[in-house]
Amino acid sequence: MNTKITELLGIKYPIIQGGMAWIAESTLASAVTNAGGLGLIAGGSAPIDYLREQIRKTKEAVNGKPFGVNVMLMSPNAEDLAKLVIEEEVPVVTTGAGNPGKFMDAWKEAGIKVIPVVPSVALAKRMERSGADAVVAEGTESGGHIGENTTMCLVPQVVDALEIPVIAAGGIADGRGIAASMMLGAEGVQVGTRFLASEECQIHPTYKELIVKAKDTDSIVTGRTTGHPCRNVKTKFSKRLASGEKDGSLTPEKFEEITLGSLKKAVQDGNLEEGSFLCGAIAGMITEIKPCKDIIEEMFSQADSLLNK
Ligand code: TUI
């Protein structure tokens, strides 16, 4: 499937893997890239030396094929990571949770393809003006830190407002999601949750089990009271957070205190008592753990037959 995104990035399939904090590391990123998509390493709030090692490992594993790094702009490591991607000649950078404007010129000068993730038309326009090569329009169906608009409503509005290519994200886990995204005018998709249930994803087995067992109603948004809404798997912990926010017993300060370190507790320890298991609303559709290559090939084979019916 050739689109402006396969052309821009030099990849076989127009799919990029979500830059999932604490999750997206070299094994997952190189599996996605080697399967013909664009794999990403998440900067999250990880130490710079660790990220340098992850970048070098990925470079070695992909043998010249493109990969990227996601810079989480709310993280204290953002400035250092912005420099590291230049030093390490990372081909593609995606950004999340903020406006990457102040890094844009340096990244463009270094020849990096820059793809900000945006939750609104206004931000998408600002990113185009700053020199972005493409944007990811991310609907509220996504896992993790989310905006308010849905993929179905956001993507066509961003497509209409911009000249640069748009990648759809949020709620895409099979070929129907890809075909629908193309119909909305997207030139590619970003997929996160489907890759959680991949063989190469290095998360705790309990996390994968939660994704595979999830039903359609098993994601919940917490953190609205802090200004950073976040979609998670419904667990006793996330339900307790949500009800504390609803009845006012959990202040934003207390919320931040309880959730500090909760992503790591989910990903590394599978800790159901204190971990935040981020996931998209599409988790209910995911029932099997497979290699990334099979996931991608099956998604595009289904999309192809739908689009060429
Ligand atoms: O960034 C994401 N998803 C994430 S980041 C993350 S780590 C985290 N955990 C808890 C709280 C906050 C972060 C987990 N998932 N997706 C892309 C995304 N970007 N969603 C929303 C935005 C966004 C929000 C505001 C992008 C730009 C923005 O700009 C505000 C401004 O500065 O104008």
Side-chain angles (χ1 to χ4, degrees), residues 131-149:
D133 294 281
V135 296
V136 175
E138 190 182 87
T140 196
E141 296 91 325
S142 302
H145 181 41
I146 47 173
E148 292 293 343
N149 214 342

Side-chain angles (χ1 to χ4, degrees), residues 44 49 54 70 106 119 122 128 142 159 164 190 213 219 246 276 288:
D49 287 342
Q54 291 299 308
N70 175 264
E128 182 173 61
S142 302
V159 167
I164 55 175
Q190 176 185 275
K213 289 200 171 147
S219 86
K246 197 167 174 198
S276 294
E288 255 185 300

